Amino acid sequence: MNARRNHQIVLARRPTGAVSEACFESTVRDVPELGEGEALLQVRYLGIDPTIRGWLDERGNYMPGVAIGECVRSNGVGVVVETNNPDEYPLGRVFMHLTGWQEYCVLQPNPYPPITMLPEGVALTDVLGVLGHIGITAYVGVLEVARPEPGQTFLVSAAASGVGSIAGQIAKMQGARVFGIAGTAAKCAWVVDELGFDACIDYKTEDVAARLRELAPEGVDIFFDNVGGRLLDTVLRRIAVHARVVLCGDISTYDVDTPPRPLHNIRYVMGKRARMEGFNTLDHWDHYHEAAAQLAEWRAQGKLKFREHVLEGLDRAPEALVRLFTGDHLGKLVVRVSGPGADPEARTD
Ligand SMILES: NC(=O)c1ccc[n+]([C@@H]2O[C@H](COP(=O)([O-])OP(=O)(O)OC[C@H]3O[C@@H](n4cnc5c(N)ncnc54)[C@H](OP(=O)(O)O)[C@@H]3O)[C@@H](O)[C@H]2O)c1
């Protein structure tokens, strides 16, 4: 048996409705002896992503649900500290993987989803945000699915989220007029004043339909939707002829136990000869290195801004997940598990 002990957060009970910290328990287990072709990753940071909520339900989502007593599945980054496979997993190199909420994770040879080795010197929190699947989702979703043209109206929901904030900035670089929808005045101010969006609607205090009539009297050409549910239904009434509705996520339906309300305004898709298209970033993972290089270049040129919100310590992962659904964060939520402290510019608490 390996001498190391592994601190994990496991699923203790399934949420009914909104997830709470009581759904999770902290435990310590042995680290198994490594098999042929395997390596041991010491987890440094976890990305707290909306998709985790789907994995807490028995039915899961595009991946199966996590079993009761099992370590919570989660994206993360870590460093190889032991290896039986130095070609695929060299000692000391950093990998992005579905590490789970734990201190150590065993890397298997040739896994799916693929494990990505990261360039040396890259900031680890970037890999869970702008240079990871969040950035790639926005990149693929905007440039391959939404394809905005100069002068078009591009609306993005959850505009201050990791994906939403990057999607809006990429659409702006394509010459679109970019509007956001977000849940607080501070988030709206951030996307307009710092990220360069043309306007942002606070969906908790403003009449979204009325504001859209004002901002886009001819209708919305592209709606990049991260929220789904009622908000999607509201926007469908305001789409332009030949609009494109990109279904990136429907976070408003993840943390509830009632089925989503039917879309009353779906007929506008036909009436406006519009197109709705969903996508999953994992289908585009072969573009990872190209997309990450472009995102890094835009970032270095100051054209792309991104913000992380770091919580310190593995035990705070459940709190982070709860905060994701209450919106109580500004920037991509990540949890630091081990290793050197966060980037001093990131918000930390
Ligand atoms: N298609 C893909 O392959 C793919 C890949 C990754 C992510 N996604 C999707 O992209 C979206 C954003 O993910 P992310 O990781 O970037 O998010 P994030 O940074 O974790 O931010 C999530 C934000 O969603 C908003 N939100 C939460 N519950 C809401 C509700 N009931 N109604 C409206 N807004 C709500 C909150 O902001 P407010 O304060 O503004 O409410 C929250 O801050 C999610 O829908 C996710 O599922 C899709």
Side-chain angles (χ1 to χ4, degrees):
M1 193 54 65
N2 195 304
R4 299 176 198 259
R5 302 274 286 158
N6 192 16
H7 177 189
Q8 298 183 321
I9 308 289
V10 301
L11 181 63
R13 52 197 71 81
R14 297 197 187 281
T16 47
V19 66
S20 75
E21 292 181 46
C23 296
F24 307 97
E25 273 169 10
S26 180
T27 184
V28 177
R29 290 176 174 156
D30 292 329
V31 171
E33 210 56 64
L34 292 181
E36 196 179 333
E38 292 181 343
L40 191 67
L41 198 71
Q42 184 178 41
V43 179
R44 293 284 161 86
Y45 285 93
L46 299 167
I48 306 301
D49 298 323
T51 195
I52 295 172
R53 177 62 185 82
W55 297 332
L56 306 182
D57 293 332
E58 198 166 5
R59 65 176 185 274
N61 43 24
Y62 56 93
M63 292 183 84
V66 169
I68 298 294
E70 194 184 340
C71 178
V72 177
R73 188 184 300 129
S74 171
N75 198 21
V77 289
V79 178
V80 174
V81 289
E82 290 177 27
T83 186
N84 283 345
N85 188 351
D87 293 335
E88 198 175 351
Y89 303 128
L91 264 187
R93 288 303 298 262
V94 174
F95 285 82
M96 171 168 46
H97 182 43
L98 286 174
T99 57
W101 287 359
Q102 56 184 343
E103 285 177 318
Y104 292 100
C105 157
V106 175
L107 302 181
Q108 317 275 348
N110 304 314
Y112 182 83
I115 296 179
T116 309
M117 181 154 74
L118 298 162
E120 287 183 270
V122 70
L124 299 193
T125 51
D126 275 357
V127 173
L128 296 169
V130 65
L131 305 187
H133 75 289
I134 297 299
I136 312 306
T137 300
Y139 182 92
V140 164
V142 174
L143 297 180
E144 293 186 20
V145 189
R147 298 191 303 279
E149 290 166 17
Q152 285 193 318
T153 304
F154 182 100
L155 175 70
V156 55
S157 55
S161 69
V163 172
S165 63
I166 300 173
Q169 293 176 83
I170 297 176
K172 194 75 198 158
M173 284 185 235
Q174 309 309 303
R177 285 196 315 139
V178 174
F179 303 128
I181 302 175
T184 62
K187 289 183 181 183
C188 286
W190 179 61
V191 303
V192 172
D193 299 342
E194 290 191 40
L195 307 188
F197 285 34
D198 295 282
C200 184
I201 304 168
D202 180 343
Y203 73 91
K204 288 187 180 159
T205 60
E206 294 187 275
D207 178 339
V208 175
R211 288 281 279 132
L212 283 177
R213 270 196 298 279
E214 206 178 282
L215 292 168
E218 306 299 322
V220 170
D221 295 309
I222 295 171
F223 179 37
F224 191 102
D225 188 26
N226 292 308
V227 169
R230 269 169 196 270
L231 192 63
L232 170 60
D233 216 17
T234 301
V235 175
L236 284 179
R237 273 200 85 141
R238 297 300 315 151
I239 55 176
V241 173
H242 299 308
R244 287 189 294 289
V245 178
V246 177
L247 303 178
C248 175
D250 54 347
I251 195 167
S252 68
T253 70
Y254 301 171
D255 203 29
V256 291
D257 57 4
T258 46
R261 198 179 77 138
L263 293 173
H264 297 305
N265 294 323
I266 194 77
R267 66 182 186 279
Y268 285 84
V269 174
M270 183 181 61
K272 298 286 183 178
R273 285 82 83 201
R275 178 185 292 189
M276 285 178 101
E277 184 174 348
F279 73 100
N280 188 318
T281 302
L282 287 178
D283 298 341
H284 301 263
W285 208 248
D286 50 334
H287 295 254
Y288 172 73
H289 289 289
E290 162 213 322
Q294 179 62 82
L295 290 160
E297 188 182 320
W298 283 334
R299 184 131 115 140
Q301 293 167 339
K303 292 181 181 166
L304 187 62
K305 296 181 181 147
F306 191 76
R307 195 159 172 168
E308 290 101 21
H309 187 143
V310 183
L311 298 195
E312 293 286 342
L314 177 61
D315 277 328
R316 295 188 72 192
E319 173 197 337
L321 187 65
V322 171
R323 288 173 70 164
L324 193 157
F325 289 101
T326 57
D328 179 18
H329 61 109
L330 182 50
K332 182 68 207 162
L333 272 168
V334 296
V335 167
R336 190 172 76 87
V337 178
S338 67
D343 175 344
E345 287 188 11
R347 177 172 164 177
T348 308
D349 62 19

